[in-house]
PDB file of all heavy atoms in Angstrom:
ATOM      1  N   ARG K   4      20.979  14.927 -27.929  1.00 98.00           N
ATOM      2  CA  ARG K   4      22.070  15.017 -26.962  1.00 98.00           C
ATOM      3  C   ARG K   4      21.538  15.653 -25.692  1.00 98.00           C
ATOM      4  O   ARG K   4      20.967  16.754 -25.729  1.00 98.00           O
ATOM      5  CB  ARG K   4      23.231  15.846 -27.511  1.00 98.00           C
ATOM      6  CG  ARG K   4      24.443  15.879 -26.606  1.00 98.00           C
ATOM      7  CD  ARG K   4      25.590  16.643 -27.264  1.00 98.00           C
ATOM      8  NE  ARG K   4      26.785  16.709 -26.435  1.00 98.00           N
ATOM      9  CZ  ARG K   4      27.709  15.753 -26.398  1.00 98.00           C
ATOM     10  NH1 ARG K   4      27.592  14.683 -27.161  1.00 98.00           N
ATOM     11  NH2 ARG K   4      28.765  15.879 -25.615  1.00 98.00           N
ATOM     12  N   LEU K   5      21.712  14.942 -24.583  1.00 98.00           N
ATOM     13  CA  LEU K   5      21.337  15.457 -23.273  1.00 98.00           C
ATOM     14  C   LEU K   5      22.581  15.958 -22.551  1.00 98.00           C
ATOM     15  O   LEU K   5      23.657  15.363 -22.682  1.00 98.00           O
ATOM     16  CB  LEU K   5      20.671  14.368 -22.430  1.00 98.00           C
ATOM     17  CG  LEU K   5      19.461  13.662 -23.028  1.00 98.00           C
ATOM     18  CD1 LEU K   5      18.914  12.633 -22.031  1.00 98.00           C
ATOM     19  CD2 LEU K   5      18.394  14.643 -23.424  1.00 98.00           C
ATOM     20  N   SER K   6      22.403  17.019 -21.784  1.00 98.00           N
ATOM     21  CA  SER K   6      23.500  17.548 -20.984  1.00 98.00           C
ATOM     22  C   SER K   6      23.032  17.800 -19.560  1.00 98.00           C
ATOM     23  O   SER K   6      21.845  18.066 -19.325  1.00 98.00           O
ATOM     24  CB  SER K   6      24.026  18.856 -21.590  1.00 98.00           C
ATOM     25  OG  SER K   6      24.599  18.633 -22.856  1.00 98.00           O
ATOM     26  N   CYS K   7      23.957  17.715 -18.638  1.00 98.00           N
ATOM     27  CA  CYS K   7      23.649  17.926 -17.227  1.00 98.00           C
ATOM     28  C   CYS K   7      24.841  18.632 -16.585  1.00 98.00           C
ATOM     29  O   CYS K   7      25.989  18.230 -16.790  1.00 98.00           O
ATOM     30  CB  CYS K   7      23.387  16.587 -16.540  1.00 98.00           C
ATOM     31  SG  CYS K   7      23.234  16.662 -14.744  1.00 98.00           S
ATOM     32  N   VAL K   8      24.546  19.662 -15.812  1.00 97.00           N
ATOM     33  CA  VAL K   8      25.599  20.368 -15.093  1.00 97.00           C
ATOM     34  C   VAL K   8      25.318  20.285 -13.613  1.00 97.00           C
ATOM     35  O   VAL K   8      24.171  20.453 -13.169  1.00 97.00           O
ATOM     36  CB  VAL K   8      25.720  21.834 -15.567  1.00 97.00           C
ATOM     37  CG1 VAL K   8      24.421  22.581 -15.382  1.00 97.00           C
ATOM     38  CG2 VAL K   8      26.859  22.541 -14.864  1.00 97.00           C
ATOM     39  N   ALA K   9      26.367  20.004 -12.848  1.00 95.00           N
ATOM     40  CA  ALA K   9      26.264  19.915 -11.394  1.00 95.00           C
ATOM     41  C   ALA K   9      26.698  21.233 -10.758  1.00 95.00           C
ATOM     42  O   ALA K   9      27.571  21.927 -11.273  1.00 95.00           O
ATOM     43  CB  ALA K   9      27.131  18.775 -10.874  1.00 95.00           C
ATOM     44  N   SER K  10      26.083  21.536  -9.614  1.00 92.00           N
ATOM     45  CA  SER K  10      26.361  22.808  -8.942  1.00 92.00           C
ATOM     46  C   SER K  10      27.707  22.805  -8.227  1.00 92.00           C
ATOM     47  O   SER K  10      28.215  23.867  -7.854  1.00 92.00           O
ATOM     48  CB  SER K  10      25.251  23.130  -7.938  1.00 92.00           C
ATOM     49  OG  SER K  10      25.146  22.095  -6.969  1.00 92.00           O
ATOM     50  N   SER K  11      28.289  21.623  -8.035  1.00 88.00           N
ATOM     51  CA  SER K  11      29.601  21.518  -7.422  1.00 88.00           C
ATOM     52  C   SER K  11      30.317  20.301  -7.993  1.00 88.00           C
ATOM     53  O   SER K  11      29.701  19.470  -8.663  1.00 88.00           O
ATOM     54  CB  SER K  11      29.487  21.421  -5.897  1.00 88.00           C
ATOM     55  OG  SER K  11      28.716  20.312  -5.524  1.00 88.00           O
ATOM     56  N   ALA K  12      31.585  20.222  -7.738  1.00 86.00           N
ATOM     57  CA  ALA K  12      32.395  19.158  -8.314  1.00 86.00           C
ATOM     58  C   ALA K  12      31.983  17.791  -7.781  1.00 86.00           C
ATOM     59  O   ALA K  12      31.662  17.634  -6.609  1.00 86.00           O
ATOM     60  CB  ALA K  12      33.863  19.413  -8.020  1.00 86.00           C
ATOM     61  N   ILE K  13      31.977  16.832  -8.684  1.00 87.00           N
ATOM     62  CA  ILE K  13      31.751  15.432  -8.338  1.00 87.00           C
ATOM     63  C   ILE K  13      33.089  14.722  -8.498  1.00 87.00           C
ATOM     64  O   ILE K  13      33.665  14.720  -9.582  1.00 87.00           O
ATOM     65  CB  ILE K  13      30.691  14.787  -9.250  1.00 87.00           C
ATOM     66  CG1 ILE K  13      29.404  15.619  -9.291  1.00 87.00           C
ATOM     67  CG2 ILE K  13      30.421  13.352  -8.812  1.00 87.00           C
ATOM     68  CD1 ILE K  13      28.679  15.705  -7.984  1.00 87.00           C
ATOM     69  N   TYR K  14      33.592  14.110  -7.424  1.00 87.00           N
ATOM     70  CA  TYR K  14      34.875  13.428  -7.519  1.00 87.00           C
ATOM     71  C   TYR K  14      34.863  12.402  -8.643  1.00 87.00           C
ATOM     72  O   TYR K  14      33.856  11.748  -8.903  1.00 87.00           O
ATOM     73  CB  TYR K  14      35.219  12.754  -6.193  1.00 87.00           C
ATOM     74  CG  TYR K  14      35.557  13.707  -5.091  1.00 87.00           C
ATOM     75  CD1 TYR K  14      34.793  13.763  -3.933  1.00 87.00           C
ATOM     76  CD2 TYR K  14      36.653  14.566  -5.185  1.00 87.00           C
ATOM     77  CE1 TYR K  14      35.104  14.640  -2.907  1.00 87.00           C
ATOM     78  CE2 TYR K  14      36.955  15.450  -4.173  1.00 87.00           C
ATOM     79  CZ  TYR K  14      36.186  15.481  -3.039  1.00 87.00           C
ATOM     80  OH  TYR K  14      36.485  16.347  -2.028  1.00 87.00           O
ATOM     81  N   THR K  15      35.979  12.267  -9.294  1.00 86.00           N
ATOM     82  CA  THR K  15      36.042  11.403 -10.469  1.00 86.00           C
ATOM     83  C   THR K  15      35.640   9.969 -10.180  1.00 86.00           C
ATOM     84  O   THR K  15      35.117   9.267 -11.047  1.00 86.00           O
ATOM     85  CB  THR K  15      37.446  11.419 -11.072  1.00 86.00           C
ATOM     86  OG1 THR K  15      38.373  10.960 -10.085  1.00 86.00           O
ATOM     87  CG2 THR K  15      37.846  12.817 -11.508  1.00 86.00           C
ATOM     88  N   PHE K  16      35.889   9.492  -8.956  1.00 86.00           N
ATOM     89  CA  PHE K  16      35.562   8.100  -8.653  1.00 86.00           C
ATOM     90  C   PHE K  16      34.113   7.921  -8.228  1.00 86.00           C
ATOM     91  O   PHE K  16      33.673   6.789  -8.011  1.00 86.00           O
ATOM     92  CB  PHE K  16      36.502   7.533  -7.583  1.00 86.00           C
ATOM     93  CG  PHE K  16      36.697   8.419  -6.385  1.00 86.00           C
ATOM     94  CD1 PHE K  16      35.787   8.404  -5.348  1.00 86.00           C
ATOM     95  CD2 PHE K  16      37.786   9.266  -6.293  1.00 86.00           C
ATOM     96  CE1 PHE K  16      35.957   9.219  -4.244  1.00 86.00           C
ATOM     97  CE2 PHE K  16      37.978  10.093  -5.190  1.00 86.00           C
ATOM     98  CZ  PHE K  16      37.061  10.064  -4.164  1.00 86.00           C
ATOM     99  N   TYR K  17      33.363   9.004  -8.112  1.00 92.00           N
ATOM    100  CA  TYR K  17      31.928   8.899  -7.873  1.00 92.00           C
ATOM    101  C   TYR K  17      31.218   8.842  -9.220  1.00 92.00           C
ATOM    102  O   TYR K  17      31.556   9.563 -10.145  1.00 92.00           O
ATOM    103  CB  TYR K  17      31.415  10.087  -7.065  1.00 92.00           C
ATOM    104  CG  TYR K  17      31.825  10.086  -5.618  1.00 92.00           C
ATOM    105  CD1 TYR K  17      31.987  11.282  -4.932  1.00 92.00           C
ATOM    106  CD2 TYR K  17      32.030   8.902  -4.916  1.00 92.00           C
ATOM    107  CE1 TYR K  17      32.353  11.308  -3.596  1.00 92.00           C
ATOM    108  CE2 TYR K  17      32.408   8.918  -3.586  1.00 92.00           C
ATOM    109  CZ  TYR K  17      32.571  10.112  -2.926  1.00 92.00           C
ATOM    110  OH  TYR K  17      32.929  10.131  -1.607  1.00 92.00           O
ATOM    111  N   PRO K  18      30.183   8.003  -9.338  1.00 94.00           N
ATOM    112  CA  PRO K  18      29.496   7.896 -10.625  1.00 94.00           C
ATOM    113  C   PRO K  18      28.644   9.122 -10.927  1.00 94.00           C
ATOM    114  O   PRO K  18      28.104   9.769 -10.037  1.00 94.00           O
ATOM    115  CB  PRO K  18      28.611   6.660 -10.442  1.00 94.00           C
ATOM    116  CG  PRO K  18      28.349   6.616  -8.975  1.00 94.00           C
ATOM    117  CD  PRO K  18      29.619   7.105  -8.323  1.00 94.00           C
ATOM    118  N   MET K  19      28.553   9.398 -12.193  1.00 97.00           N
ATOM    119  CA  MET K  19      27.660  10.440 -12.693  1.00 97.00           C
ATOM    120  C   MET K  19      27.121   9.941 -14.011  1.00 97.00           C
ATOM    121  O   MET K  19      27.866   9.322 -14.788  1.00 97.00           O
ATOM    122  CB  MET K  19      28.419  11.757 -12.870  1.00 97.00           C
ATOM    123  CG  MET K  19      27.523  12.970 -13.073  1.00 97.00           C
ATOM    124  SD  MET K  19      28.480  14.508 -13.087  1.00 97.00           S
ATOM    125  CE  MET K  19      27.152  15.699 -13.305  1.00 97.00           C
ATOM    126  N   GLY K  20      25.835  10.148 -14.245  1.00 97.00           N
ATOM    127  CA  GLY K  20      25.299   9.641 -15.500  1.00 97.00           C
ATOM    128  C   GLY K  20      23.813   9.829 -15.613  1.00 97.00           C
ATOM    129  O   GLY K  20      23.263  10.833 -15.140  1.00 97.00           O
ATOM    130  N   TRP K  21      23.158   8.834 -16.237  1.00 98.00           N
ATOM    131  CA  TRP K  21      21.756   8.972 -16.640  1.00 98.00           C
ATOM    132  C   TRP K  21      20.948   7.717 -16.328  1.00 98.00           C
ATOM    133  O   TRP K  21      21.416   6.600 -16.537  1.00 98.00           O
ATOM    134  CB  TRP K  21      21.681   9.246 -18.145  1.00 98.00           C
ATOM    135  CG  TRP K  21      22.377  10.502 -18.528  1.00 98.00           C
ATOM    136  CD1 TRP K  21      23.697  10.645 -18.871  1.00 98.00           C
ATOM    137  CD2 TRP K  21      21.804  11.811 -18.564  1.00 98.00           C
ATOM    138  NE1 TRP K  21      23.972  11.964 -19.120  1.00 98.00           N
ATOM    139  CE2 TRP K  21      22.828  12.708 -18.949  1.00 98.00           C
ATOM    140  CE3 TRP K  21      20.526  12.324 -18.330  1.00 98.00           C
ATOM    141  CZ2 TRP K  21      22.602  14.070 -19.096  1.00 98.00           C
ATOM    142  CZ3 TRP K  21      20.299  13.679 -18.475  1.00 98.00           C
ATOM    143  CH2 TRP K  21      21.340  14.543 -18.858  1.00 98.00           C
ATOM    144  N   TYR K  22      19.740   7.955 -15.852  1.00 98.00           N
ATOM    145  CA  TYR K  22      18.712   6.945 -15.698  1.00 98.00           C
ATOM    146  C   TYR K  22      17.489   7.420 -16.477  1.00 98.00           C
ATOM    147  O   TYR K  22      17.391   8.580 -16.842  1.00 98.00           O
ATOM    148  CB  TYR K  22      18.344   6.757 -14.235  1.00 98.00           C
ATOM    149  CG  TYR K  22      19.353   5.973 -13.429  1.00 98.00           C
ATOM    150  CD1 TYR K  22      20.609   6.485 -13.131  1.00 98.00           C
ATOM    151  CD2 TYR K  22      19.053   4.689 -12.965  1.00 98.00           C
ATOM    152  CE1 TYR K  22      21.534   5.767 -12.402  1.00 98.00           C
ATOM    153  CE2 TYR K  22      19.972   3.950 -12.231  1.00 98.00           C
ATOM    154  CZ  TYR K  22      21.208   4.502 -11.948  1.00 98.00           C
ATOM    155  OH  TYR K  22      22.103   3.775 -11.226  1.00 98.00           O
ATOM    156  N   ARG K  23      16.557   6.515 -16.712  1.00 98.00           N
ATOM    157  CA  ARG K  23      15.317   6.893 -17.383  1.00 98.00           C
ATOM    158  C   ARG K  23      14.150   6.121 -16.802  1.00 98.00           C
ATOM    159  O   ARG K  23      14.304   5.046 -16.238  1.00 98.00           O
ATOM    160  CB  ARG K  23      15.407   6.657 -18.889  1.00 98.00           C
ATOM    161  CG  ARG K  23      15.481   5.193 -19.304  1.00 98.00           C
ATOM    162  CD  ARG K  23      15.720   5.091 -20.817  1.00 98.00           C
ATOM    163  NE  ARG K  23      15.790   3.696 -21.241  1.00 98.00           N
ATOM    164  CZ  ARG K  23      16.119   3.317 -22.474  1.00 98.00           C
ATOM    165  NH1 ARG K  23      16.411   4.227 -23.419  1.00 98.00           N
ATOM    166  NH2 ARG K  23      16.146   2.031 -22.776  1.00 98.00           N
ATOM    167  N   GLN K  24      12.966   6.736 -16.953  1.00 98.00           N
ATOM    168  CA  GLN K  24      11.745   6.108 -16.479  1.00 98.00           C
ATOM    169  C   GLN K  24      10.659   6.307 -17.515  1.00 98.00           C
ATOM    170  O   GLN K  24      10.231   7.444 -17.775  1.00 98.00           O
ATOM    171  CB  GLN K  24      11.314   6.683 -15.133  1.00 98.00           C
ATOM    172  CG  GLN K  24      10.160   5.956 -14.498  1.00 98.00           C
ATOM    173  CD  GLN K  24       9.958   6.331 -13.048  1.00 98.00           C
ATOM    174  OE1 GLN K  24      10.446   7.341 -12.558  1.00 98.00           O
ATOM    175  NE2 GLN K  24       9.234   5.493 -12.319  1.00 98.00           N
ATOM    176  N   ALA K  25      10.223   5.210 -18.098  1.00 98.00           N
ATOM    177  CA  ALA K  25       9.118   5.239 -19.039  1.00 98.00           C
ATOM    178  C   ALA K  25       7.801   5.146 -18.285  1.00 98.00           C
ATOM    179  O   ALA K  25       7.759   4.683 -17.138  1.00 98.00           O
ATOM    180  CB  ALA K  25       9.247   4.089 -20.037  1.00 98.00           C
ATOM    181  N   ALA K  26       6.735   5.567 -18.905  1.00 96.00           N
ATOM    182  CA  ALA K  26       5.422   5.559 -18.266  1.00 96.00           C
ATOM    183  C   ALA K  26       5.060   4.144 -17.815  1.00 96.00           C
ATOM    184  O   ALA K  26       5.146   3.193 -18.596  1.00 96.00           O
ATOM    185  CB  ALA K  26       4.375   6.099 -19.231  1.00 96.00           C
ATOM    186  N   GLY K  27       4.708   4.012 -16.552  1.00 96.00           N
ATOM    187  CA  GLY K  27       4.287   2.727 -16.020  1.00 96.00           C
ATOM    188  C   GLY K  27       5.411   1.760 -15.711  1.00 96.00           C
ATOM    189  O   GLY K  27       5.145   0.602 -15.379  1.00 96.00           O
ATOM    190  N   LYS K  28       6.644   2.219 -15.823  1.00 97.00           N
ATOM    191  CA  LYS K  28       7.791   1.344 -15.583  1.00 97.00           C
ATOM    192  C   LYS K  28       8.689   1.917 -14.490  1.00 97.00           C
ATOM    193  O   LYS K  28       8.610   3.100 -14.143  1.00 97.00           O
ATOM    194  CB  LYS K  28       8.586   1.144 -16.870  1.00 97.00           C
ATOM    195  CG  LYS K  28       7.832   0.404 -17.948  1.00 97.00           C
ATOM    196  CD  LYS K  28       8.724   0.104 -19.142  1.00 97.00           C
ATOM    197  CE  LYS K  28       7.991  -0.683 -20.197  1.00 97.00           C
ATOM    198  NZ  LYS K  28       8.862  -1.014 -21.365  1.00 97.00           N
ATOM    199  N   GLN K  29       9.569   1.072 -13.967  1.00 97.00           N
ATOM    200  CA  GLN K  29      10.518   1.517 -12.958  1.00 97.00           C
ATOM    201  C   GLN K  29      11.669   2.288 -13.599  1.00 97.00           C
ATOM    202  O   GLN K  29      11.984   2.099 -14.784  1.00 97.00           O
ATOM    203  CB  GLN K  29      11.071   0.305 -12.197  1.00 97.00           C
ATOM    204  CG  GLN K  29      10.052  -0.375 -11.293  1.00 97.00           C
ATOM    205  CD  GLN K  29      10.689  -1.456 -10.423  1.00 97.00           C
ATOM    206  OE1 GLN K  29      11.676  -2.065 -10.796  1.00 97.00           O
ATOM    207  NE2 GLN K  29      10.115  -1.668  -9.252  1.00 97.00           N
ATOM    208  N   ARG K  30      12.282   3.140 -12.799  1.00 97.00           N
ATOM    209  CA  ARG K  30      13.465   3.864 -13.265  1.00 97.00           C
ATOM    210  C   ARG K  30      14.587   2.855 -13.510  1.00 97.00           C
ATOM    211  O   ARG K  30      14.799   1.935 -12.716  1.00 97.00           O
ATOM    212  CB  ARG K  30      13.886   4.906 -12.240  1.00 97.00           C
ATOM    213  CG  ARG K  30      14.917   5.891 -12.737  1.00 97.00           C
ATOM    214  CD  ARG K  30      15.144   7.008 -11.740  1.00 97.00           C
ATOM    215  NE  ARG K  30      13.947   7.813 -11.523  1.00 97.00           N
ATOM    216  CZ  ARG K  30      13.911   8.940 -10.830  1.00 97.00           C
ATOM    217  NH1 ARG K  30      15.039   9.415 -10.291  1.00 97.00           N
ATOM    218  NH2 ARG K  30      12.793   9.602 -10.667  1.00 97.00           N
ATOM    219  N   GLU K  31      15.314   3.049 -14.628  1.00 98.00           N
ATOM    220  CA  GLU K  31      16.375   2.110 -14.976  1.00 98.00           C
ATOM    221  C   GLU K  31      17.644   2.849 -15.379  1.00 98.00           C
ATOM    222  O   GLU K  31      17.604   3.982 -15.874  1.00 98.00           O
ATOM    223  CB  GLU K  31      15.933   1.202 -16.136  1.00 98.00           C
ATOM    224  CG  GLU K  31      15.649   1.930 -17.429  1.00 98.00           C
ATOM    225  CD  GLU K  31      15.275   0.999 -18.582  1.00 98.00           C
ATOM    226  OE1 GLU K  31      15.159  -0.221 -18.362  1.00 98.00           O
ATOM    227  OE2 GLU K  31      15.119   1.509 -19.709  1.00 98.00           O
ATOM    228  N   LEU K  32      18.752   2.166 -15.188  1.00 98.00           N
ATOM    229  CA  LEU K  32      20.040   2.706 -15.592  1.00 98.00           C
ATOM    230  C   LEU K  32      20.098   2.837 -17.112  1.00 98.00           C
ATOM    231  O   LEU K  32      19.679   1.935 -17.835  1.00 98.00           O
ATOM    232  CB  LEU K  32      21.161   1.778 -15.126  1.00 98.00           C
ATOM    233  CG  LEU K  32      22.554   2.029 -15.707  1.00 98.00           C
ATOM    234  CD1 LEU K  32      23.178   3.254 -15.042  1.00 98.00           C
ATOM    235  CD2 LEU K  32      23.437   0.813 -15.525  1.00 98.00           C
ATOM    236  N   VAL K  33      20.667   3.957 -17.577  1.00 98.00           N
ATOM    237  CA  VAL K  33      20.985   4.108 -18.998  1.00 98.00           C
ATOM    238  C   VAL K  33      22.501   4.016 -19.166  1.00 98.00           C
ATOM    239  O   VAL K  33      23.015   3.155 -19.878  1.00 98.00           O
ATOM    240  CB  VAL K  33      20.463   5.443 -19.545  1.00 98.00           C
ATOM    241  CG1 VAL K  33      20.886   5.613 -21.004  1.00 98.00           C
ATOM    242  CG2 VAL K  33      18.950   5.534 -19.404  1.00 98.00           C
ATOM    243  N   ALA K  34      23.212   4.933 -18.513  1.00 98.00           N
ATOM    244  CA  ALA K  34      24.671   4.949 -18.601  1.00 98.00           C
ATOM    245  C   ALA K  34      25.229   5.774 -17.456  1.00 98.00           C
ATOM    246  O   ALA K  34      24.658   6.809 -17.100  1.00 98.00           O
ATOM    247  CB  ALA K  34      25.131   5.533 -19.929  1.00 98.00           C
ATOM    248  N   THR K  35      26.325   5.315 -16.889  1.00 97.00           N
ATOM    249  CA  THR K  35      27.064   6.080 -15.898  1.00 97.00           C
ATOM    250  C   THR K  35      28.548   6.010 -16.217  1.00 97.00           C
ATOM    251  O   THR K  35      28.989   5.154 -17.006  1.00 97.00           O
ATOM    252  CB  THR K  35      26.834   5.565 -14.467  1.00 97.00           C
ATOM    253  OG1 THR K  35      27.244   4.190 -14.403  1.00 97.00           O
ATOM    254  CG2 THR K  35      25.386   5.698 -14.048  1.00 97.00           C
ATOM    255  N   GLU K  36      29.288   6.913 -15.592  1.00 96.00           N
ATOM    256  CA  GLU K  36      30.724   6.943 -15.789  1.00 96.00           C
ATOM    257  C   GLU K  36      31.381   7.290 -14.467  1.00 96.00           C
ATOM    258  O   GLU K  36      30.911   8.167 -13.738  1.00 96.00           O
ATOM    259  CB  GLU K  36      31.076   7.982 -16.859  1.00 96.00           C
ATOM    260  CG  GLU K  36      32.500   7.880 -17.382  1.00 96.00           C
ATOM    261  CD  GLU K  36      33.461   8.830 -16.725  1.00 96.00           C
ATOM    262  OE1 GLU K  36      33.227   9.264 -15.583  1.00 96.00           O
ATOM    263  OE2 GLU K  36      34.473   9.167 -17.348  1.00 96.00           O
ATOM    264  N   SER K  37      32.456   6.582 -14.155  1.00 94.00           N
ATOM    265  CA  SER K  37      33.265   6.936 -12.985  1.00 94.00           C
ATOM    266  C   SER K  37      34.706   6.578 -13.282  1.00 94.00           C
ATOM    267  O   SER K  37      34.968   5.538 -13.899  1.00 94.00           O
ATOM    268  CB  SER K  37      32.763   6.223 -11.730  1.00 94.00           C
ATOM    269  OG  SER K  37      32.883   4.834 -11.842  1.00 94.00           O
ATOM    270  N   SER K  38      35.608   7.437 -12.869  1.00 92.00           N
ATOM    271  CA  SER K  38      37.048   7.243 -13.088  1.00 92.00           C
ATOM    272  C   SER K  38      37.372   6.912 -14.536  1.00 92.00           C
ATOM    273  O   SER K  38      38.271   6.106 -14.807  1.00 92.00           O
ATOM    274  CB  SER K  38      37.572   6.133 -12.167  1.00 92.00           C
ATOM    275  OG  SER K  38      37.371   6.468 -10.805  1.00 92.00           O
ATOM    276  N   GLY K  39      36.622   7.496 -15.460  1.00 92.00           N
ATOM    277  CA  GLY K  39      36.878   7.297 -16.876  1.00 92.00           C
ATOM    278  C   GLY K  39      36.305   6.032 -17.457  1.00 92.00           C
ATOM    279  O   GLY K  39      36.470   5.766 -18.657  1.00 92.00           O
ATOM    280  N   THR K  40      35.605   5.242 -16.659  1.00 95.00           N
ATOM    281  CA  THR K  40      35.044   3.977 -17.129  1.00 95.00           C
ATOM    282  C   THR K  40      33.536   4.102 -17.288  1.00 95.00           C
ATOM    283  O   THR K  40      32.832   4.360 -16.325  1.00 95.00           O
ATOM    284  CB  THR K  40      35.364   2.841 -16.151  1.00 95.00           C
ATOM    285  OG1 THR K  40      36.785   2.716 -16.035  1.00 95.00           O
ATOM    286  CG2 THR K  40      34.773   1.529 -16.647  1.00 95.00           C
ATOM    287  N   PRO K  41      33.025   3.913 -18.518  1.00 97.00           N
ATOM    288  CA  PRO K  41      31.584   3.981 -18.731  1.00 97.00           C
ATOM    289  C   PRO K  41      30.904   2.646 -18.431  1.00 97.00           C
ATOM    290  O   PRO K  41      31.526   1.583 -18.507  1.00 97.00           O
ATOM    291  CB  PRO K  41      31.456   4.326 -20.208  1.00 97.00           C
ATOM    292  CG  PRO K  41      32.657   3.690 -20.828  1.00 97.00           C
ATOM    293  CD  PRO K  41      33.743   3.759 -19.801  1.00 97.00           C
ATOM    294  N   ASN K  42      29.628   2.733 -18.114  1.00 97.00           N
ATOM    295  CA  ASN K  42      28.798   1.558 -17.872  1.00 97.00           C
ATOM    296  C   ASN K  42      27.476   1.805 -18.565  1.00 97.00           C
ATOM    297  O   ASN K  42      26.810   2.792 -18.294  1.00 97.00           O
ATOM    298  CB  ASN K  42      28.592   1.356 -16.366  1.00 97.00           C
ATOM    299  CG  ASN K  42      27.684   0.183 -16.079  1.00 97.00           C
ATOM    300  OD1 ASN K  42      27.772  -0.854 -16.714  1.00 97.00           O
ATOM    301  ND2 ASN K  42      26.798   0.337 -15.098  1.00 97.00           N
ATOM    302  N   TYR K  43      27.108   0.914 -19.479  1.00 98.00           N
ATOM    303  CA  TYR K  43      25.898   1.089 -20.274  1.00 98.00           C
ATOM    304  C   TYR K  43      24.901  -0.036 -20.032  1.00 98.00           C
ATOM    305  O   TYR K  43      25.284  -1.193 -19.855  1.00 98.00           O
ATOM    306  CB  TYR K  43      26.227   1.106 -21.770  1.00 98.00           C
ATOM    307  CG  TYR K  43      27.053   2.265 -22.240  1.00 98.00           C
ATOM    308  CD1 TYR K  43      28.422   2.139 -22.423  1.00 98.00           C
ATOM    309  CD2 TYR K  43      26.462   3.500 -22.521  1.00 98.00           C
ATOM    310  CE1 TYR K  43      29.193   3.201 -22.867  1.00 98.00           C
ATOM    311  CE2 TYR K  43      27.227   4.571 -22.970  1.00 98.00           C
ATOM    312  CZ  TYR K  43      28.582   4.416 -23.141  1.00 98.00           C
ATOM    313  OH  TYR K  43      29.342   5.482 -23.580  1.00 98.00           O
ATOM    314  N   ALA K  44      23.630   0.314 -20.103  1.00 98.00           N
ATOM    315  CA  ALA K  44      22.607  -0.721 -20.176  1.00 98.00           C
ATOM    316  C   ALA K  44      22.734  -1.442 -21.507  1.00 98.00           C
ATOM    317  O   ALA K  44      23.093  -0.837 -22.525  1.00 98.00           O
ATOM    318  CB  ALA K  44      21.225  -0.088 -20.049  1.00 98.00           C
ATOM    319  N   ASP K  45      22.432  -2.734 -21.503  1.00 98.00           N
ATOM    320  CA  ASP K  45      22.550  -3.508 -22.743  1.00 98.00           C
ATOM    321  C   ASP K  45      21.704  -2.915 -23.863  1.00 98.00           C
ATOM    322  O   ASP K  45      22.077  -2.968 -25.042  1.00 98.00           O
ATOM    323  CB  ASP K  45      22.139  -4.958 -22.495  1.00 98.00           C
ATOM    324  CG  ASP K  45      23.167  -5.731 -21.685  1.00 98.00           C
ATOM    325  OD1 ASP K  45      24.332  -5.270 -21.594  1.00 98.00           O
ATOM    326  OD2 ASP K  45      22.813  -6.790 -21.135  1.00 98.00           O
ATOM    327  N   SER K  46      20.565  -2.346 -23.493  1.00 97.00           N
ATOM    328  CA  SER K  46      19.621  -1.858 -24.499  1.00 97.00           C
ATOM    329  C   SER K  46      20.136  -0.637 -25.264  1.00 97.00           C
ATOM    330  O   SER K  46      19.590  -0.293 -26.314  1.00 97.00           O
ATOM    331  CB  SER K  46      18.286  -1.523 -23.846  1.00 97.00           C
ATOM    332  OG  SER K  46      18.459  -0.522 -22.849  1.00 97.00           O
TER     333      SER K  46
END
């Protein structure tokens, strides 16, 4: 389980979430959430 805390409030309609970068690869979306709606990478 990963956790992240922001130093100030992020409006609900702004996305917040996670990306990842494997060695030798580009950074890619993992999952984000905004206004209660999640968005996941297919993988």
Side-chain angles (χ1 to χ4, degrees):
R4 185 176 180 85
L5 305 181
S6 295
C7 171
V8 58
S10 59
S11 59
I13 308 295
Y14 290 118
T15 60
F16 47 84
Y17 288 151
M19 193 174 181
W21 299 89
Y22 284 69
R23 68 186 180 187
Q24 188 167 17
K28 295 186 178 181
Q29 290 187 331
R30 192 172 297 188
E31 63 177 4
L32 168 76
V33 176
T35 59
E36 194 263 24
S37 63
S38 300
T40 300
N42 177 41
Y43 294 99
D45 287 343
S46 60

